[in-house]
Amino acid sequence: MKAAAIDLGTNAFRFLIRDLNDKNNYGYKSRYVVGLGKYLNDNSYLVLPKLYYETLDMIFSDIYKNNVDKIHIVGTSVFREALNKEEIVDNFKARYNQNLNIISSKTEAELTSLGTNSLRVESASNKIIVDIGGGSTEIILTLDDKFVDYVSLDLGVIKLLKIFKETDIFSNDKIIDIKNYIKSILSKIDLYEYIKNDTQVIFNSGTPTTLAAISMNLIKYDPEKINGSRLSNKITHKIFEKLCNKTSKDRLEINGIEKGREEVIVYGVLILLEILEYFKIDHYFVSDLGVLEGIFEKYIEI
């Protein structure tokens, strides 16, 4: 029996197909950078672009070719915020004959922790998992691989792009303005007490996986190399300097940059760096695992 999980995010759409009878096969995973959050207008009405339907058509074509028996689909931040979410859900059902489940930030955090906790790196009882998204950033606390608590920040790469509007070379003044904005949001939370000597910090999602791919000079993305990789604050700063001093077009010439991320990657790295500063940590682990794997654990493999 084959099953599929689909995660429709504010910036990227991802899907994972697995054969439930083959426990040794991690399945087939793919993603498309859609940037859907750009189409949420000032009135919080989500105007679905042609790319939305084109991408979903490709995803479902791939899934049906694989004779998938069971599908679970979630939508995250951009769908939560859309005032026309009910219309979008009805439209999705009519076109694809599938349910689009718009999940809460808490459910998103729980799914992320379920998926990411299957990553085994260094031994640690305390974990902080950070999921930098297009519309929100979840900071998740786990103890002995159990979900404990989370905060959802109104902070994401698409949101920062819409506020600051820069896509090419970032001036020092612009970087300072973005950093101050991120700091102002982080200052409203109180999580520093959770960092202990053995706390393991794991960043999940497109920003850290892109940083890991750049650090390895990967021409082709390889999740097996990405998962569990360790990056330092120093290396991250070095990559950041390289990224912010190039135009979005020139960033695509860097090995590890995925088409569609060239306009938002600097915002994601700034969020990541400010979180490192907040927790006063000098290294972190990277995970390609997250919501998709969590969907299998919570809704499919039961």
Side-chain angles (χ1 to χ4, degrees):
M1 176 182 175
K2 289 185 179 179
I6 303 175
D7 171 21
L8 305 182
T10 304
N11 190 44
F13 288 5
R14 301 174 174 87
F15 71 95
L16 171 64
I17 301 172
R18 278 181 177 171
D19 185 340
L20 300 182
N21 298 319
D22 185 356
K23 298 299 182 182
N24 295 318
N25 190 329
Y26 291 102
Y28 166 63
K29 183 190 285 189
S30 191
R31 65 184 175 208
Y32 299 91
V33 179
V34 178
L36 189 61
K38 297 176 186 176
Y39 303 94
L40 186 69
N41 66 24
D42 293 339
N43 297 318
S44 295
Y45 190 92
L46 183 57
V47 183
L48 298 173
K50 183 181 178 182
L51 181 60
Y52 168 83
Y53 293 106
E54 289 176 343
T55 305
L56 286 175
D57 288 348
M58 286 189 288
I59 289 172
F60 279 106
S61 174
D62 221 350
I63 284 173
Y64 294 140
K65 283 178 185 175
N66 280 275
N67 298 314
V68 169
D69 303 290
K70 188 173 183 179
I71 304 172
H72 192 87
I73 306 155
V74 302
T76 57
S77 177
V78 68
F79 297 98
R80 290 196 291 267
E81 295 184 27
L83 293 180
N84 58 324
K85 60 174 70 71
E86 291 183 7
E87 176 187 329
I88 292 170
V89 169
D90 291 343
N91 172 271
F92 193 95
K93 179 71 172 180
R95 184 173 179 119
Y96 299 106
N97 195 31
Q98 296 290 336
N99 294 320
L100 168 58
N101 303 283
I102 300 176
I103 58 175
S104 67
S105 59
K106 182 178 181 181
T107 299
E108 184 177 358
E110 289 175 335
L111 292 175
T112 299
S113 67
L114 277 173
T116 306
N117 273 329
S118 61
L119 179 71
R120 294 286 175 252
V121 279
E122 294 177 358
S123 176
S125 57
N126 286 12
K127 287 182 186 175
I128 291 183
I129 301 166
V130 184
D131 184 1
I132 300 172
S136 66
T137 293
E138 278 68 47
I139 301 179
I140 305 150
L141 311 173
T142 69
L143 179 61
D144 296 327
D145 289 345
K146 302 295 183 183
F147 177 87
V148 175
D149 201 0
Y150 84 107
V151 292
S152 183
L153 306 176
D154 189 23
L155 192 62
V157 297
I158 297 292
K159 283 194 174 174
L160 289 181
L161 172 62
K162 291 173 78 172
I163 293 169
F164 294 99
K165 300 181 174 28
E166 185 60 79
T167 58
D168 290 319
I169 296 173
F170 285 68
S171 67
N172 287 334
D173 287 344
K174 181 72 77 173
I175 291 170
I176 290 170
D177 287 344
I178 299 169
K179 282 184 174 183
N180 287 337
Y181 181 84
I182 297 169
K183 287 178 191 291
S184 71
I185 293 177
L186 287 173
S187 68
K188 298 173 184 177
I189 65 174
D190 184 18
L191 291 173
Y192 184 70
E193 63 180 292
Y194 289 96
I195 287 286
K196 311 296 182 186
N197 289 335
D198 67 338
T199 298
Q200 191 178 94
V201 179
I202 302 172
F203 279 85
N204 152 272
S205 73
T207 294
T209 57
T210 298
L211 286 168
I214 293 172
S215 73
M216 298 177 197
N217 196 34
L218 294 183
I219 296 174
K220 183 178 180 182
Y221 187 82
D222 185 346
E224 290 188 8
K225 291 181 178 178
I226 297 296
N227 272 325
S229 57
R230 185 182 188 272
L231 290 180
S232 68
N233 198 323
K234 183 178 179 180
I235 289 173
T236 305
H237 271 284
K238 186 176 179 180
I239 295 172
F240 171 73
E241 292 295 330
K242 184 177 182 180
L243 292 170
C244 68
N245 289 310
K246 289 183 179 292
T247 65
S248 56
K249 182 180 178 181
D250 288 342
R251 285 182 205 124
L252 286 172
E253 297 177 4
I254 302 172
N255 288 340
I257 289 280
E258 178 183 19
K259 175 66 177 172
R261 293 199 185 278
E262 69 276 11
E263 291 188 349
V264 298
I265 185 61
V266 171
Y267 294 108
V269 180
L270 279 168
I271 294 171
L272 186 149
L273 286 171
E274 289 305 314
I275 291 174
L276 292 180
E277 176 66 24
Y278 173 86
F279 285 119
K280 293 180 171 49
I281 52 177
D282 61 7
H283 74 277
Y284 57 95
F285 295 96
V286 177
S287 173
D288 181 69
L289 309 174
V291 170
L292 292 175
E293 289 77 13
I295 288 172
F296 268 87
E297 288 205 33
K298 187 175 178 68
Y299 299 113
I300 297 175
E301 292 179 338
I302 57 175

